[in-house]
Amino acid sequence: MKENSQIIKILLQSNNNAVIITDKNGTILEFNNCVKSLFDCQFEITTGIDINKIFNEYNKTNNSNIYFDFKNLAANNSTEYIEKSLIQHNENNLTVRIYTTFNKNSLIENYIFIFINDISTKGYLYSNDSEMLYKKSLEYASDIIYITDENGNFLLVNPATEKITGYSKSELSKMNYIDIIPDNKKRKFQIIFMRQLLSKERSVYIETPIITKNGETAWLGQNINLILQDNEPPRFHAISRDITSRRNAQLEVKRNQEMLRLIIDMIPDRIYLKDSDGKFLINNRSHLNALGAKTQSEAIGKTDFDYRTFANAKKYRDQDIEILKSNKPLIDFFEREISNTGEERLILISKFPFHISGEPSSGIVGVSKDITELNKYETQNVLLANAIKSINECVTITDLEDKLIFVNKAFCKTYEYTEEEVLGKNIAIVSSTVSDVNILQKIKLATYNGGWQGELINKTKSGRTFPIFLSTTPIFNKNNIPFAMIGVARDVTIQKNHESEILKLNQAIIQSSISIILTDPNGTIEYANPKALEITGYLEEELLGQNPRIFKSGFTPLETYKELWNTITSGKEWHGELLNKKKSGELYWEYASISSIKDKNNQVVQFIAFKDDITKIKDLQISLKIARDKAEIANELKDNFIATISHEIRTPINGILGMTSLIKEAFSEHITEEESEYFDSLNRSSKRITRTTDLIINYSRYKSQNAEINKTQINLIECLQNIINNFSQVIANKQLEVSLIFTNNLFLINSDEFCINEIFTNLIDNAIKFTNQGKVDLKVFQINNEQICVEIIDTGIGISNEYLPDLFEPYIQEENGYTRSYDGIGLGLALTKLLIDKIGASIKVKSKKGEGTTIAVLLNNT
């Protein structure tokens, strides 16, 4: 018990009951302060005396006869728990519980005596005055006190019971104690209560978990007393304390001890404790292996002399004695040691004195590390580290806490950090928020299970993000336990860009609306995209391995194929039309572009053909050619017809005009005013027919693109004045005011004289014709060095918004039919627009119905 004595002392003093610990012979080793107050002995209770001496004194004052035969108890050796009731003492019953502890050989080593007072006395709870006093005391008791019947149904509870369980007194009165026990413990505690009831054991101490009303778990340390009265059913009387904190603390201590033990065992270094005599108290797994011991119990109590050569053992013992004597540690010294297999090993050793409760040095704590392999490979490791520092990939080594302990030059260059800036920092310093927040933990777990590979998004010191390909592997110690992780990262930005481009190209090929075929240098088909399969009607497996001659129709000249092959084998690109044949035998036209694909050595490795199905285009071309031929014939017929009509109409009209003029002149003396008007009407009608015929002929001539433009220098003002003069009679008859406004007499333009005359004749004619009253203004002004504008502004009837979009369409008028207000066939403005386009001018129209129209013509003066 030597190493646990400090803990035992603390436990003894913190226990509310009297506790005595003896050796296997009953000699007192330890006891707490409650012992002296419990036993009113005539002599001083000290360690080293027989516990039966206390009972002898107790027997004298209480007429009791208690004696423990330790030889018989030791002979039994399997006893773990004994309970005895002592004779009444100070109006209380006294129960003693005896527990045994065993050594590593499973032999009894100690007895622990725990003395428990039984506060219940016969009739105590059921006399009226006593019961009232008892119930009153319940209200103020801090302990949890309750009474149940023999079946466990609550009969009486104090406020402390309500507080710890969370149930009210009325709720508990309807409950059984088992109701607040966890399901997995109910059976156990039912058996305990039943056993106590059957054996009539007066007092039992148990530690019980309960489930409170709000669902939490609490622990109670309970003295369960069996109350037996004449003519009364048995009852259980319990005095309990909330030991949840202690239980949790015990569990925490136990967990911490187990974790500490586990950690010590996992540490690859040798760790051990010796007492002042050099005997081993604790050894971790590494030290047991070094000693050659199989188990902890095997090594306990033995010394270095049991496992090492005498010389080594004596050397270690002398060191231990010097450390204990000087109370100073011996740190990091080297020893050469012969192992159990006869090998010489280099050991790095540190030893420290340890103390208990301020006592003189009690023993030695030793930490040793076998550095034979470390020393052997130190030079190789230096060379390897230098090599790793120089490679192009980014290399990192992190410890178990993900802290960087090594980075190479490539890492510093790629991530823009210096070595000093990152060593000791968490590897997350280079992680990007783009990555999964749990990725580092996933990588760590996968690495320590063998390794991890994958792509990540990292970031540099400046915040630039980039993709990497990372490969990790664990680094193990000699015990095959991972203690670090090495990672090799490569910047794959260029690769990812290439992959992205390849993916885009692949998708473009697959989704292309034209057929794409790849062949090897011999012309064997290696790939055909979906469009090629759709057009030709073949399945992919039917085309792969075939030659493109499978598409030959027999209608494409052999010279075309020879030219194609010679072109692409020379490294050039061939373009042309091919009439090919589908799987079904149907012919189709293709426009093909075929070229070679070369490797880095400029050698042809493949041919690629891009082919567009132009069958519909070819059919359309044939249809258009037929239509064009027909149109040319029709146009020729139209021209002949127009020429004939023009001749047939203009010749007699000119004859009529000439003869009418002669008749009017011959009989001028005999013609009345009314008859003169007849001649004028005949003249106007003849000229209208001539004008209409001229419009038709001119529109047809300029529309057919056959008319030539002959540019000459024209005085625009003079031209406009002559046109206005031609309309002088009409202007006078309608009493209109027509003005030509200009700032320069020499507005000279270089254009076709016929076109200019025809354009402004038509525009001025319309302005006068559709203006019944008011005026018509012609304004001529320079816009810039290259353009002159002629505006024709009238106050006529205007043009509706609905008609404006069709203003320059042929044969369309705002008013149609025989009842229309104005004559004409709707070709004047159509011919005007056609001529304006011919000479490279432009026209703009602005009009409002009922208010007039403004037409602007922009002419180039060069």
Side-chain angles (χ1 to χ4, degrees):
M1 292 178 63
K2 185 178 295 183
E3 67 274 17
N4 296 320
S5 61
Q6 189 71 10
I7 298 173
I8 290 172
K9 286 180 180 180
I10 295 171
L11 292 175
L12 282 172
Q13 298 306 323
S14 63
N15 201 303
N16 292 326
N17 297 310
V19 181
I20 299 176
I21 300 175
T22 74
D23 62 13
K24 63 182 180 180
N25 300 314
T27 303
I28 295 176
L29 300 176
E30 301 283 354
F31 60 89
N32 64 0
N33 294 331
C34 297
V35 172
K36 292 183 178 181
S37 61
L38 179 64
F39 296 105
D40 188 14
C41 299
Q42 301 300 319
F43 60 90
E44 183 180 359
I45 298 176
T46 63
T47 59
I49 66 172
D50 193 319
I51 193 170
N52 278 317
K53 186 175 181 179
I54 297 176
F55 291 127
N56 289 338
E57 293 294 323
Y58 185 80
N59 293 341
K60 292 176 183 179
T61 60
N62 296 279
N63 298 318
S64 175
N65 186 20
I66 299 263
Y67 177 79
F68 290 95
D69 186 350
F70 291 100
K71 288 185 178 180
N72 288 335
L73 291 173
N76 186 11
N77 199 52
S78 61
T79 302
E80 295 185 4
Y81 174 74
I82 302 173
E83 184 171 301
K84 286 182 177 294
S85 295
L86 303 183
I87 300 300
Q88 192 178 64
H89 175 65
N90 295 334
E91 298 183 354
N92 289 330
N93 286 340
L94 187 65
T95 300
V96 60
R97 294 181 185 153
I98 308 169
Y99 298 89
T100 56
T101 65
F102 299 89
N103 62 17
K104 62 182 180 179
N105 297 318
S106 301
L107 298 175
I108 293 176
E109 186 172 30
N110 300 98
Y111 292 101
I112 302 174
F113 293 79
I114 302 176
F115 301 89
I116 302 170
N117 282 314
D118 185 354
I119 69 169
S120 64
T121 307
K122 187 174 182 180
Y124 174 74
L125 290 174
Y126 302 100
S127 63
N128 291 335
D129 293 338
S130 297
E131 184 174 357
M132 185 178 298
L133 180 61
Y134 176 71
K135 289 184 177 180
K136 193 68 176 176
S137 66
L138 290 182
E139 299 297 323
Y140 301 101
S142 60
D143 286 343
I144 300 160
I145 302 172
Y146 61 87
I147 296 175
T148 71
D149 63 16
E150 60 184 309
N151 297 315
N153 297 312
F154 287 106
L155 301 175
L156 178 67
V157 296
N158 72 335
T161 306
E162 295 179 82
K163 182 177 180 181
I164 186 66
T165 64
Y167 293 100
S168 68
K169 188 179 295 184
S170 62
E171 288 175 320
L172 288 169
S173 68
K174 301 173 185 177
M175 297 172 65
N176 189 290
Y177 181 76
I178 295 302
D179 293 338
I180 62 174
I181 299 294
D183 291 341
N184 61 339
K185 301 289 185 181
K186 290 183 187 295
R187 181 63 178 165
K188 175 182 176 182
F189 290 108
Q190 284 174 330
I191 292 172
I192 290 174
F193 294 143
M194 185 62 68
R195 184 186 293 129
Q196 185 179 6
L197 185 63
L198 294 174
S199 65
K200 293 183 172 52
E201 188 174 3
R202 295 298 301 275
S203 182
V204 173
Y205 177 79
I206 59 174
E207 293 186 352
T208 316
I210 66 169
I211 303 298
T212 66
K213 185 176 181 180
N214 62 8
E216 295 180 354
T217 300
W219 279 84
L220 302 180
Q222 306 197 77
N223 287 308
I224 309 295
N225 302 296
L226 178 61
I227 303 172
L228 298 172
Q229 289 182 313
D230 295 337
N231 302 320
E232 292 288 342
R235 287 179 170 82
F236 289 103
H237 175 274
I239 302 175
S240 311
R241 285 191 177 178
D242 185 354
I243 60 169
T244 306
S245 298
R246 175 172 66 78
R247 288 284 300 194
N248 291 339
Q250 288 173 339
L251 290 173
E252 186 66 24
V253 169
K254 184 178 178 181
R255 279 197 298 268
N256 290 342
Q257 288 175 339
E258 290 175 352
M259 287 180 63
L260 179 61
R261 183 70 196 177
L262 180 62
I263 291 170
I264 291 175
D265 265 348
M266 291 180 64
I267 293 174
D269 293 347
R270 307 172 188 176
I271 299 176
Y272 53 89
L273 272 74
K274 300 178 187 176
D275 63 15
S276 57
D277 296 325
K279 295 178 181 179
F280 290 115
L281 301 175
I282 296 176
N283 301 275
N284 76 340
R285 192 177 302 166
S286 294
H287 193 245
L288 289 175
N289 293 336
L291 292 177
K294 294 182 179 179
T295 64
Q296 179 76 273
S297 58
E298 176 188 333
I300 298 299
K302 294 184 179 180
T303 68
D304 286 313
F305 289 96
D306 294 308
Y307 295 104
R308 308 187 188 282
T309 63
F310 179 82
N312 274 344
K314 185 177 184 306
K315 180 168 55 177
Y316 290 153
R317 180 57 186 157
D318 292 342
Q319 288 174 353
D320 296 346
I321 292 172
E322 179 61 30
I323 291 169
L324 292 171
K325 182 179 178 181
S326 65
N327 199 31
K328 293 181 180 179
L330 191 62
I331 300 175
D332 288 346
F333 66 93
F334 295 95
E335 289 288 348
R336 295 199 176 273
E337 178 181 279
I338 304 299
S339 69
N340 297 326
T341 60
E343 295 178 296
E344 183 178 86
R345 313 295 296 178
L346 183 63
I347 311 299
L348 181 64
I349 302 174
S350 293
K351 294 182 177 181
F352 308 85
F354 74 86
H355 311 274
I356 297 179
S357 300
E359 297 177 2
S361 296
S362 304
I364 298 292
V365 177
V367 181
S368 303
K369 180 183 290 187
D370 187 340
I371 61 170
T372 307
E373 301 301 324
L374 184 65
N375 185 64
K376 181 188 296 184
Y377 295 112
E378 185 176 13
T379 304
Q380 290 90 328
N381 288 344
V382 171
L383 293 174
L384 180 61
N386 289 334
I388 291 175
K389 282 187 175 182
S390 302
I391 65 176
N392 293 327
E393 281 77 14
C394 302
V395 181
T396 60
I397 299 178
T398 54
D399 61 16
L400 294 176
E401 296 179 352
D402 298 326
K403 291 181 180 178
L404 288 162
I405 56 178
F406 173 85
V407 294
N408 68 344
K409 293 179 181 177
F411 175 92
C412 295
K413 181 179 179 182
T414 301
Y415 290 90
E416 303 170 0
Y417 286 101
T418 64
E419 192 173 339
E420 294 75 16
E421 287 176 319
V422 292
L423 291 184
K425 299 292 180 63
N426 194 292
I427 188 66
I429 193 174
V430 298
S431 294
S432 167
T433 54
V434 178
S435 299
D436 180 0
V437 293
N438 299 317
I439 189 63
L440 293 181
Q441 188 64 22
K442 293 177 182 177
I443 292 173
K444 184 177 180 179
L445 292 175
T447 300
Y448 292 139
N449 285 324
W452 187 87
Q453 285 188 343
E455 292 183 1
L456 295 172
I457 301 297
N458 275 183
K459 67 176 180 180
T460 64
K461 180 180 178 181
S462 63
R464 178 180 64 86
T465 58
F466 63 99
I468 64 163
F469 181 81
L470 176 66
S471 176
T472 67
T473 187
I475 304 175
F476 298 93
N477 61 16
K478 64 180 181 180
N479 296 318
N480 204 35
I481 297 174
F483 68 91
M485 178 178 80
I486 185 167
V488 180
R490 183 175 73 253
D491 185 345
V492 293
T493 303
I494 297 176
Q495 177 183 331
K496 294 295 288 184
N497 290 339
H498 288 169
E499 288 177 358
S500 177
E501 292 301 320
I502 290 172
L503 180 61
K504 291 178 183 177
L505 180 60
N506 185 54
Q507 288 300 311
I509 290 174
I510 292 174
Q511 300 176 18
S512 175
S513 61
I514 63 174
S515 65
I516 300 173
I517 294 177
L518 284 170
T519 73
D520 66 12
N522 299 317
T524 303
I525 296 174
E526 295 181 331
Y527 173 81
N529 75 334
K531 193 64 177 181
L533 303 177
E534 177 190 335
I535 291 174
T536 63
Y538 286 97
L539 299 176
E540 185 177 18
E541 55 268 25
E542 292 176 324
L543 284 185
L544 298 185
Q546 296 290 336
N547 190 282
R549 67 174 64 95
I550 193 174
F551 306 126
K552 289 179 66 174
S553 65
F555 293 101
T556 300
L558 290 177
E559 290 74 15
T560 301
Y561 291 115
K562 289 180 181 179
E563 178 195 354
L564 185 159
W565 185 252
N566 291 335
T567 300
I568 62 176
T569 53
S570 67
K572 298 178 182 178
E573 187 173 356
W574 183 87
H575 302 276
E577 295 180 357
L578 299 172
L579 181 57
N580 284 337
K581 182 175 65 176
K582 299 182 180 182
K583 179 182 177 181
S584 62
E586 179 186 352
L587 298 180
Y588 68 100
W589 282 94
E590 285 184 325
Y591 181 82
S593 176
I594 306 173
S595 59
S596 59
I597 300 174
K598 300 178 181 179
D599 60 17
K600 61 182 180 180
N601 298 318
N602 206 35
Q603 297 296 313
V604 175
V605 292
Q606 282 180 313
F607 293 111
I608 185 168
F610 298 92
K611 301 192 289 183
D612 198 3
D613 186 348
I614 59 170
T615 304
K616 292 182 179 179
I617 296 175
K618 294 292 286 186
D619 292 344
L620 182 60
Q621 286 176 343
I622 293 170
S623 299
L624 288 175
K625 185 176 184 303
I626 294 171
R628 186 178 65 247
D629 292 343
K630 290 181 178 179
E632 288 177 353
I633 293 171
N635 194 54
E636 185 177 350
L637 291 173
K638 180 199 69 174
D639 290 343
N640 292 334
F641 173 75
I642 289 173
T644 301
I645 288 296
S646 175
H647 176 74
E648 291 300 319
I649 292 176
R650 293 180 70 176
T651 299
I653 288 299
N654 288 335
I656 291 171
L657 289 173
M659 294 303 296
T660 301
S661 178
L662 290 174
I663 292 170
K664 183 181 180 181
E665 182 179 348
F667 295 96
S668 59
E669 294 179 358
H670 305 285
I671 295 175
T672 65
E673 184 176 346
E674 182 180 352
E675 290 171 339
S676 178
E677 180 61 30
Y678 294 157
F679 280 103
D680 291 340
S681 177
L682 179 63
N683 186 57
R684 286 195 301 273
S685 298
S686 299
K687 287 184 177 180
R688 178 179 173 185
I689 293 173
T690 303
R691 175 65 180 158
T692 300
T693 304
D694 288 341
L695 282 173
I696 294 172
I697 293 173
N698 289 333
Y699 183 81
S700 176
R701 183 162 63 95
Y702 282 96
K703 185 69 175 176
S704 67
Q705 304 292 329
N706 293 327
E708 294 183 0
I709 299 299
N710 298 310
K711 289 187 177 183
T712 183
Q713 194 175 68
I714 302 169
N715 187 323
L716 187 57
I717 300 301
E718 185 179 312
C719 176
L720 292 174
Q721 189 62 62
N722 289 336
I723 295 172
I724 293 171
N725 292 338
N726 292 336
F727 289 97
S728 58
Q729 187 62 48
V730 178
I731 292 170
N733 292 339
K734 298 185 76 172
Q735 298 180 348
L736 297 178
E737 182 181 344
V738 177
S739 303
L740 179 58
I741 304 168
F742 52 89
T743 57
N744 186 351
N745 290 327
L746 294 175
F747 279 106
L748 300 178
I749 60 172
N750 190 28
S751 188
D752 186 277
E753 186 174 1
F754 172 80
C755 291
I756 293 296
N757 274 301
E758 193 68 21
I759 289 168
F760 287 107
T761 296
N762 289 335
L763 293 177
I764 294 171
D765 183 19
N766 279 350
I768 293 171
K769 179 167 57 175
F770 294 109
T771 302
N772 296 321
Q773 60 183 3
K775 62 179 180 177
V776 176
D777 290 335
L778 277 72
K779 294 182 180 180
V780 184
F781 53 91
Q782 190 87 31
I783 295 179
N784 51 44
N785 292 333
E786 298 179 353
Q787 283 189 315
I788 296 172
C789 179
V790 178
E791 277 188 347
I792 302 171
I793 307 166
D794 66 57
T795 59
I797 63 174
I799 305 169
S800 65
N801 291 332
E802 293 78 11
Y803 177 65
L804 274 174
D806 299 323
L807 188 62
F808 298 109
E809 293 298 319
Y811 308 112
I812 294 178
Q813 294 176 289
E814 190 168 359
E815 289 185 15
N816 290 303
Y818 296 113
T819 60
R820 64 184 188 273
S821 304
Y822 302 94
D823 58 17
I825 61 172
L827 274 182
L829 287 178
L831 176 60
T832 299
K833 182 66 169 65
L834 190 62
L835 296 177
I836 283 175
D837 292 340
K838 286 283 186 180
I839 63 173
S842 61
I843 186 170
K844 296 179 181 180
V845 178
K846 183 172 66 174
S847 182
K848 188 172 183 181
K849 193 68 175 175
E851 295 184 6
T853 301
T854 299
I855 296 178
V857 179
L858 277 69
L859 302 167
N860 296 321
N861 61 356
T862 56

